[in-house]
Amino acid sequence: MNAHPSNGLTRRRVVAGGTALAALMGSGLARAAGYPDRPIRMVVPYPAGGSTDIVARLVAKHLGEVLKGTVVVDNKGGAAGAIGAADVARSAPDGYTLLSNIVTSAVLTPITQAKTLTYDPIGAFQPVAMVAKLPNVLIINKDIPVRNLKEFAAWARANPARASYGTGGTGSVMHLTGELLKRDGDFAMEHVPYKGAAAAIQDLMGGNIVAVLDNITGVIGPIRSGQVRALGVSTDQRSPALPDVPTFAEAGVKGFSNASWFGVFTRAGTPSDIVAQLEKATLEACARPEVVRTLTELGAVPDPMGAKAMGEFWKAEFTYWKRAIDAAGVPLN
């Protein structure tokens, strides 16, 4: 005889519920402990040889070592990062596909190409960690007879048929920076989009265009070797890697300040334990002295952030760049 039949049922439910929870937690721990058990693919939404690719390969190498696995870089350039981002958006949410996201593909393309994108540019991705900020720099062909930004602006006004600048794509942060620079510096130059900055730099050195906007990482070699001439950087302080190059504000374009950045993302819906493991491993990789030293030598500014902080920063960037896009009159499609 059982005076309280419900008590036995309740106990059985508690035990069963506890067993189920333990099994669920155990499966998550087992999943995280076994991760990764095959190569991880890091998609770079730009061609090989550019600044995003350079930083991605550095991070991939050390991330693989921290995870005791392999991280393979996969370049899928085009459409200002949209082709590579779409590839990651279609991937399985299992932590085996990462996206080397920069401000162009993470913020600007979602704004400027909102009507034509084939994926959700916000809902499809999960931030993992911020790696670094990268100052943008204006470089010119060394045969152009100018030494500073004011002289270049005057030269562009006097040579409208020749004044052109290349970037890694329409709607990119470099394109937007160029349009803002033209507006605030009161001069004109035609934008020439490429599928990647490396191709633009080759055309610059070949004399097909007179200027290129890229972040410092992608052009610091040609600048230091004297193959091109740097006229200014976009940040509010000079880059330690190029201490002799003034900021745009110092060069006469008052109040000008922006930067590119590099972060690691994965597919939204990836299990939280896998995201946490990726976050921890990425931050550990980026804290390695070799990575910090290399990023600094490349002109980048190490600026690690975890997934939560990266997500908040990412959201704020939409507000900033939307205002900049509107101010510059960059067309939306």
Side-chain angles (χ1 to χ4, degrees):
M1 181 172 145
N2 189 346
H4 303 284
S6 62
N7 288 348
L9 180 59
T10 300
R11 281 194 297 270
R12 287 194 297 274
R13 284 176 173 168
V14 169
V15 171
T19 302
L21 179 61
L24 180 61
M25 293 178 64
S27 67
L29 292 172
R31 179 175 57 214
Y35 173 86
D37 61 8
R38 63 181 188 272
I40 297 170
R41 186 170 63 107
M42 179 178 282
V43 174
V44 177
Y46 301 94
S51 56
T52 306
D53 179 66
I54 292 169
V55 176
R57 290 179 187 277
L58 174 68
V59 173
K61 174 181 180 293
H62 289 272
L63 178 59
E65 291 175 359
V66 172
L67 289 170
K68 294 180 171 55
T70 302
V71 180
V72 179
V73 172
D74 184 8
N75 296 91
K76 289 187 175 294
I83 292 174
D87 180 87
V88 177
R90 293 190 297 267
S91 69
D94 56 10
Y96 285 93
T97 305
L98 306 179
L99 176 63
S100 299
N101 232 354
I102 62 173
V103 64
T104 296
S105 50
V107 179
L108 300 186
T109 297
I111 296 172
T112 60
Q113 299 184 32
K115 297 177 183 178
T116 58
L117 291 180
T118 60
Y119 59 93
D120 181 345
I122 300 174
F125 305 109
Q126 163 66 49
V128 173
M130 170 75 85
V131 174
K133 303 281 181 62
L134 298 90
N136 305 318
V137 60
L138 177 68
I139 59 174
I140 63 170
N141 184 289
K142 60 184 178 61
D143 295 329
I144 301 298
V146 303
R147 293 290 169 180
N148 55 53
L149 185 59
K150 285 185 177 180
E151 290 180 0
F152 179 73
W155 180 91
R157 295 185 198 106
N159 297 272
R162 294 184 60 197
S164 59
Y165 74 102
T167 71
T170 300
S172 68
V173 66
M174 305 308 163
H175 176 206
L176 179 56
T177 297
E179 296 304 301
L180 288 171
L181 191 60
K182 285 161 51 178
R183 185 199 67 179
D184 296 348
D186 191 26
F187 65 97
M189 54 180 177
E190 182 183 0
H191 176 234
V192 183
Y194 290 79
K195 289 187 176 180
I201 295 164
Q202 287 179 349
D203 262 9
L204 173 68
M205 292 191 290
N208 296 319
I209 53 176
V210 300
V212 162
L213 271 158
D214 194 15
N215 48 54
I216 285 181
T217 305
V219 296
I220 196 164
I223 292 172
R224 286 175 173 168
S225 67
Q227 293 174 286
V228 299
R229 184 177 300 129
L231 298 185
V233 295
S234 67
T235 41
D236 56 5
Q237 294 183 339
R238 295 191 182 197
S239 167
L242 296 173
D244 296 330
V245 178
T247 67
F248 289 150
E250 289 175 327
V253 187
K254 293 183 179 180
F256 199 106
S257 177
N258 68 36
S260 298
W261 48 263
F262 180 101
V264 177
F265 287 63
T266 191
R267 181 73 170 86
T270 298
S272 59
D273 53 336
I274 297 296
V275 173
Q277 189 168 342
L278 280 167
E279 174 190 25
K280 180 180 178 182
T282 303
L283 293 176
E284 182 179 335
C286 293
R288 288 183 164 189
E290 180 184 344
V291 175
V292 172
R293 183 178 63 253
T294 302
L295 286 173
T296 303
E297 288 173 350
L298 290 170
V301 180
D303 189 19
M305 290 183 200
K308 182 179 179 181
M310 177 70 205
E312 292 170 352
F313 171 84
W314 183 32
K315 181 178 180 180
E317 283 284 272
F318 278 89
T319 301
Y320 171 81
W321 286 107
K322 180 62 168 64
R323 290 173 180 168
I325 287 168
D326 291 342
V330 174
L332 308 180
N333 58 34

Short mmCIF file of all heavy atoms in Angstrom, two decimals, residues 66-115:
data_model
loop_
_atom_site.label_atom_id
_atom_site.label_comp_id
_atom_site.label_asym_id
_atom_site.label_seq_id
_atom_site.Cartn_x
_atom_site.Cartn_y
_atom_site.Cartn_z
N VAL A 66 47.38 24.82 -31.77
CA VAL A 66 46.73 24.86 -30.46
C VAL A 66 45.68 23.76 -30.36
O VAL A 66 45.55 23.09 -29.33
CB VAL A 66 46.09 26.25 -30.21
CG1 VAL A 66 45.24 26.22 -28.94
CG2 VAL A 66 47.15 27.32 -30.11
N LEU A 67 44.93 23.55 -31.45
CA LEU A 67 43.88 22.52 -31.45
C LEU A 67 44.42 21.12 -31.65
O LEU A 67 43.67 20.15 -31.59
CB LEU A 67 42.86 22.84 -32.56
CG LEU A 67 41.95 24.05 -32.34
CD1 LEU A 67 41.18 24.36 -33.61
CD2 LEU A 67 40.99 23.82 -31.17
N LYS A 68 45.73 21.04 -31.94
CA LYS A 68 46.36 19.75 -32.24
C LYS A 68 45.67 19.08 -33.44
O LYS A 68 45.38 17.88 -33.44
CB LYS A 68 46.36 18.83 -31.03
CG LYS A 68 47.23 19.35 -29.88
CD LYS A 68 47.22 18.43 -28.69
CE LYS A 68 48.25 18.85 -27.66
NZ LYS A 68 48.11 20.25 -27.20
N GLY A 69 45.41 19.91 -34.43
CA GLY A 69 44.78 19.44 -35.66
C GLY A 69 45.32 20.21 -36.85
O GLY A 69 46.42 20.78 -36.79
N THR A 70 44.54 20.27 -37.90
CA THR A 70 44.95 20.96 -39.12
C THR A 70 43.88 21.96 -39.53
O THR A 70 42.70 21.61 -39.55
CB THR A 70 45.17 19.96 -40.27
OG1 THR A 70 46.16 19.00 -39.89
CG2 THR A 70 45.62 20.68 -41.54
N VAL A 71 44.29 23.18 -39.83
CA VAL A 71 43.38 24.19 -40.35
C VAL A 71 43.86 24.55 -41.75
O VAL A 71 44.97 25.06 -41.92
CB VAL A 71 43.34 25.45 -39.46
CG1 VAL A 71 42.38 26.49 -40.05
CG2 VAL A 71 42.92 25.09 -38.04
N VAL A 72 43.05 24.25 -42.75
CA VAL A 72 43.41 24.44 -44.16
C VAL A 72 42.75 25.70 -44.69
O VAL A 72 41.54 25.88 -44.56
CB VAL A 72 42.95 23.23 -45.00
CG1 VAL A 72 43.31 23.43 -46.47
CG2 VAL A 72 43.57 21.94 -44.47
N VAL A 73 43.54 26.59 -45.27
CA VAL A 73 43.01 27.83 -45.85
C VAL A 73 42.44 27.54 -47.24
O VAL A 73 43.07 26.89 -48.07
CB VAL A 73 44.11 28.91 -45.93
CG1 VAL A 73 43.62 30.13 -46.72
CG2 VAL A 73 44.54 29.32 -44.53
N ASP A 74 41.23 28.06 -47.48
CA ASP A 74 40.54 27.87 -48.76
C ASP A 74 40.12 29.24 -49.29
O ASP A 74 39.19 29.87 -48.76
CB ASP A 74 39.31 26.98 -48.54
CG ASP A 74 38.58 26.64 -49.84
OD1 ASP A 74 39.10 26.97 -50.92
OD2 ASP A 74 37.49 26.03 -49.76
N ASN A 75 40.82 29.74 -50.31
CA ASN A 75 40.51 31.05 -50.88
C ASN A 75 39.33 30.97 -51.84
O ASN A 75 39.35 30.19 -52.79
CB ASN A 75 41.72 31.61 -51.63
CG ASN A 75 42.90 31.87 -50.72
OD1 ASN A 75 43.75 30.99 -50.53
ND2 ASN A 75 42.97 33.04 -50.14
N LYS A 76 38.32 31.79 -51.57
CA LYS A 76 37.14 31.87 -52.45
C LYS A 76 36.80 33.34 -52.62
O LYS A 76 35.92 33.88 -51.94
CB LYS A 76 35.96 31.09 -51.85
CG LYS A 76 36.15 29.58 -51.90
CD LYS A 76 34.90 28.84 -51.47
CE LYS A 76 35.05 27.33 -51.64
NZ LYS A 76 35.17 26.93 -53.04
N GLY A 77 37.53 34.01 -53.52
CA GLY A 77 37.38 35.45 -53.69
C GLY A 77 36.26 35.83 -54.62
O GLY A 77 35.70 35.01 -55.34
N GLY A 78 35.94 37.15 -54.60
CA GLY A 78 34.95 37.70 -55.51
C GLY A 78 33.79 38.35 -54.80
O GLY A 78 33.45 37.99 -53.65
N ALA A 79 33.20 39.36 -55.45
CA ALA A 79 31.99 40.05 -54.97
C ALA A 79 32.18 40.66 -53.59
O ALA A 79 31.29 40.59 -52.73
CB ALA A 79 30.79 39.10 -54.98
N ALA A 80 33.36 41.26 -53.36
CA ALA A 80 33.68 41.92 -52.09
C ALA A 80 33.46 41.00 -50.89
O ALA A 80 32.97 41.41 -49.84
CB ALA A 80 32.85 43.20 -51.94
N GLY A 81 33.83 39.74 -51.06
CA GLY A 81 33.75 38.77 -49.97
C GLY A 81 32.48 37.96 -49.93
O GLY A 81 32.38 36.99 -49.16
N ALA A 82 31.50 38.30 -50.77
CA ALA A 82 30.19 37.62 -50.69
C ALA A 82 30.25 36.17 -51.14
O ALA A 82 29.50 35.33 -50.63
CB ALA A 82 29.16 38.38 -51.52
N ILE A 83 31.11 35.84 -52.09
CA ILE A 83 31.18 34.46 -52.59
C ILE A 83 31.69 33.52 -51.49
O ILE A 83 31.11 32.45 -51.24
CB ILE A 83 32.06 34.37 -53.84
CG1 ILE A 83 31.37 35.10 -55.01
CG2 ILE A 83 32.35 32.93 -54.22
CD1 ILE A 83 32.21 35.20 -56.26
N GLY A 84 32.75 33.91 -50.83
CA GLY A 84 33.28 33.08 -49.74
C GLY A 84 32.34 33.01 -48.56
O GLY A 84 32.16 31.95 -47.95
N ALA A 85 31.73 34.15 -48.21
CA ALA A 85 30.79 34.16 -47.09
C ALA A 85 29.60 33.25 -47.37
O ALA A 85 29.12 32.53 -46.49
CB ALA A 85 30.33 35.59 -46.81
N ALA A 86 29.10 33.28 -48.61
CA ALA A 86 27.97 32.41 -48.98
C ALA A 86 28.35 30.94 -48.85
O ALA A 86 27.52 30.11 -48.45
CB ALA A 86 27.52 32.72 -50.41
N ASP A 87 29.59 30.61 -49.17
CA ASP A 87 30.05 29.23 -49.03
C ASP A 87 29.99 28.78 -47.57
O ASP A 87 29.53 27.67 -47.27
CB ASP A 87 31.48 29.12 -49.55
CG ASP A 87 32.04 27.71 -49.44
OD1 ASP A 87 31.83 26.90 -50.35
OD2 ASP A 87 32.70 27.42 -48.42
N VAL A 88 30.42 29.65 -46.65
CA VAL A 88 30.36 29.31 -45.23
C VAL A 88 28.92 29.25 -44.75
O VAL A 88 28.54 28.39 -43.95
CB VAL A 88 31.17 30.32 -44.40
CG1 VAL A 88 31.06 30.02 -42.90
CG2 VAL A 88 32.65 30.30 -44.82
N ALA A 89 28.07 30.16 -45.27
CA ALA A 89 26.66 30.16 -44.87
C ALA A 89 25.95 28.87 -45.25
O ALA A 89 24.98 28.48 -44.61
CB ALA A 89 25.95 31.35 -45.51
N ARG A 90 26.45 28.20 -46.30
CA ARG A 90 25.85 26.92 -46.72
C ARG A 90 26.44 25.71 -46.00
O ARG A 90 25.97 24.59 -46.17
CB ARG A 90 26.05 26.73 -48.23
CG ARG A 90 25.28 27.71 -49.10
CD ARG A 90 25.33 27.29 -50.58
NE ARG A 90 26.70 27.31 -51.10
CZ ARG A 90 27.25 28.36 -51.72
NH1 ARG A 90 26.55 29.47 -51.89
NH2 ARG A 90 28.49 28.29 -52.17
N SER A 91 27.50 25.93 -45.22
CA SER A 91 28.19 24.81 -44.59
C SER A 91 27.43 24.27 -43.38
O SER A 91 26.51 24.92 -42.86
CB SER A 91 29.59 25.26 -44.14
OG SER A 91 29.51 26.17 -43.07
N ALA A 92 27.81 23.10 -42.94
CA ALA A 92 27.19 22.49 -41.76
C ALA A 92 27.64 23.23 -40.50
O ALA A 92 28.81 23.61 -40.40
CB ALA A 92 27.57 21.02 -41.67
N PRO A 93 26.76 23.44 -39.53
CA PRO A 93 27.14 24.12 -38.29
C PRO A 93 27.82 23.17 -37.31
O PRO A 93 27.28 22.86 -36.24
CB PRO A 93 25.79 24.62 -37.77
CG PRO A 93 24.81 23.59 -38.25
CD PRO A 93 25.31 23.14 -39.59
N ASP A 94 29.01 22.73 -37.68
CA ASP A 94 29.70 21.73 -36.87
C ASP A 94 31.09 22.15 -36.42
O ASP A 94 31.81 21.36 -35.82
CB ASP A 94 29.78 20.40 -37.64
CG ASP A 94 30.47 20.56 -39.00
OD1 ASP A 94 31.04 21.64 -39.27
OD2 ASP A 94 30.41 19.60 -39.80
N GLY A 95 31.49 23.40 -36.71
CA GLY A 95 32.80 23.87 -36.28
C GLY A 95 33.93 23.50 -37.21
O GLY A 95 35.09 23.81 -36.92
N TYR A 96 33.62 22.87 -38.34
CA TYR A 96 34.68 22.47 -39.26
C TYR A 96 34.81 23.43 -40.45
O TYR A 96 35.61 23.18 -41.35
CB TYR A 96 34.45 21.04 -39.75
CG TYR A 96 34.79 20.02 -38.68
CD1 TYR A 96 33.80 19.55 -37.81
CD2 TYR A 96 36.09 19.58 -38.50
CE1 TYR A 96 34.11 18.65 -36.80
CE2 TYR A 96 36.42 18.68 -37.50
CZ TYR A 96 35.43 18.22 -36.65
OH TYR A 96 35.75 17.32 -35.65
N THR A 97 34.04 24.52 -40.44
CA THR A 97 34.20 25.56 -41.44
C THR A 97 34.25 26.91 -40.74
O THR A 97 33.32 27.27 -40.00
CB THR A 97 33.04 25.56 -42.45
OG1 THR A 97 32.92 24.27 -43.03
CG2 THR A 97 33.30 26.57 -43.56
N LEU A 98 35.33 27.64 -40.96
CA LEU A 98 35.52 28.96 -40.37
C LEU A 98 35.53 30.00 -41.49
O LEU A 98 35.81 29.69 -42.65
CB LEU A 98 36.83 29.03 -39.59
CG LEU A 98 37.05 27.98 -38.50
CD1 LEU A 98 38.41 28.19 -37.84
CD2 LEU A 98 35.94 28.05 -37.46
N LEU A 99 35.26 31.24 -41.14
CA LEU A 99 35.29 32.34 -42.08
C LEU A 99 36.24 33.41 -41.58
O LEU A 99 36.10 33.89 -40.45
CB LEU A 99 33.89 32.94 -42.27
CG LEU A 99 33.79 34.18 -43.16
CD1 LEU A 99 34.20 33.85 -44.59
CD2 LEU A 99 32.38 34.76 -43.12
N SER A 100 37.24 33.76 -42.40
CA SER A 100 38.13 34.87 -42.08
C SER A 100 37.41 36.14 -42.48
O SER A 100 37.49 36.57 -43.63
CB SER A 100 39.45 34.73 -42.86
OG SER A 100 40.11 33.54 -42.50
N ASN A 101 36.70 36.72 -41.56
CA ASN A 101 35.85 37.86 -41.85
C ASN A 101 36.57 39.16 -41.58
O ASN A 101 37.27 39.29 -40.57
CB ASN A 101 34.58 37.79 -41.00
CG ASN A 101 33.32 37.92 -41.82
OD1 ASN A 101 33.35 38.17 -43.02
ND2 ASN A 101 32.18 37.75 -41.18
N ILE A 102 36.40 40.13 -42.48
CA ILE A 102 36.93 41.46 -42.28
C ILE A 102 35.77 42.45 -42.38
O ILE A 102 34.64 42.06 -42.69
CB ILE A 102 38.03 41.80 -43.30
CG1 ILE A 102 37.50 41.77 -44.73
CG2 ILE A 102 39.19 40.82 -43.15
CD1 ILE A 102 38.51 42.25 -45.77
N VAL A 103 36.03 43.71 -42.13
CA VAL A 103 34.95 44.69 -42.11
C VAL A 103 34.20 44.73 -43.44
O VAL A 103 32.98 44.92 -43.47
CB VAL A 103 35.48 46.08 -41.71
CG1 VAL A 103 36.46 46.62 -42.73
CG2 VAL A 103 34.34 47.06 -41.51
N THR A 104 34.88 44.49 -44.55
CA THR A 104 34.21 44.52 -45.85
C THR A 104 33.15 43.43 -45.94
O THR A 104 31.97 43.70 -46.19
CB THR A 104 35.22 44.36 -47.00
OG1 THR A 104 36.09 45.49 -47.00
CG2 THR A 104 34.52 44.26 -48.34
N SER A 105 33.57 42.18 -45.76
CA SER A 105 32.63 41.07 -45.92
C SER A 105 31.66 40.94 -44.76
O SER A 105 30.55 40.42 -44.93
CB SER A 105 33.41 39.75 -46.10
OG SER A 105 34.39 39.59 -45.09
N ALA A 106 32.05 41.42 -43.57
CA ALA A 106 31.20 41.28 -42.39
C ALA A 106 30.19 42.40 -42.24
O ALA A 106 29.12 42.20 -41.65
CB ALA A 106 32.06 41.21 -41.13
N VAL A 107 30.50 43.60 -42.77
CA VAL A 107 29.63 44.75 -42.54
C VAL A 107 29.25 45.47 -43.83
O VAL A 107 28.08 45.70 -44.10
CB VAL A 107 30.32 45.76 -41.57
CG1 VAL A 107 29.41 46.97 -41.34
CG2 VAL A 107 30.65 45.09 -40.25
N LEU A 108 30.25 45.83 -44.63
CA LEU A 108 29.96 46.68 -45.80
C LEU A 108 29.18 45.95 -46.88
O LEU A 108 28.20 46.49 -47.42
CB LEU A 108 31.26 47.24 -46.37
CG LEU A 108 32.09 48.09 -45.40
CD1 LEU A 108 33.26 48.71 -46.13
CD2 LEU A 108 31.24 49.17 -44.75
N THR A 109 29.60 44.75 -47.22
CA THR A 109 28.87 43.99 -48.24
C THR A 109 27.43 43.73 -47.81
O THR A 109 26.50 43.88 -48.63
CB THR A 109 29.60 42.68 -48.56
OG1 THR A 109 30.89 42.99 -49.11
CG2 THR A 109 28.83 41.84 -49.56
N PRO A 110 27.17 43.34 -46.55
CA PRO A 110 25.78 43.18 -46.12
C PRO A 110 24.94 44.44 -46.27
O PRO A 110 23.73 44.36 -46.48
CB PRO A 110 25.92 42.78 -44.65
CG PRO A 110 27.21 42.05 -44.60
CD PRO A 110 28.11 42.81 -45.54
N ILE A 111 25.57 45.63 -46.15
CA ILE A 111 24.83 46.88 -46.31
C ILE A 111 24.65 47.22 -47.78
O ILE A 111 23.54 47.51 -48.24
CB ILE A 111 25.55 48.04 -45.59
CG1 ILE A 111 25.59 47.80 -44.07
CG2 ILE A 111 24.85 49.37 -45.89
CD1 ILE A 111 26.44 48.80 -43.31
N THR A 112 25.75 47.17 -48.53
CA THR A 112 25.70 47.66 -49.92
C THR A 112 25.09 46.66 -50.90
O THR A 112 24.62 47.04 -51.97
CB THR A 112 27.11 48.03 -50.41
OG1 THR A 112 27.96 46.88 -50.35
CG2 THR A 112 27.71 49.14 -49.55
N GLN A 113 25.11 45.37 -50.55
CA GLN A 113 24.56 44.35 -51.44
C GLN A 113 23.37 43.63 -50.83
O GLN A 113 23.08 42.49 -51.18
CB GLN A 113 25.65 43.34 -51.82
CG GLN A 113 26.83 43.94 -52.55
CD GLN A 113 27.83 42.89 -53.00
OE1 GLN A 113 27.47 41.76 -53.31
NE2 GLN A 113 29.10 43.25 -53.03
N ALA A 114 22.69 44.29 -49.94
CA ALA A 114 21.61 43.65 -49.18
C ALA A 114 20.53 43.03 -50.07
O ALA A 114 19.96 41.98 -49.74
CB ALA A 114 20.97 44.66 -48.22
N LYS A 115 20.25 43.65 -51.21
CA LYS A 115 19.17 43.16 -52.07
C LYS A 115 19.56 41.96 -52.92
O LYS A 115 18.69 41.26 -53.44
CB LYS A 115 18.70 44.30 -52.99
CG LYS A 115 18.11 45.49 -52.26
CD LYS A 115 17.74 46.60 -53.23
CE LYS A 115 17.20 47.83 -52.50
NZ LYS A 115 16.89 48.93 -53.45
#
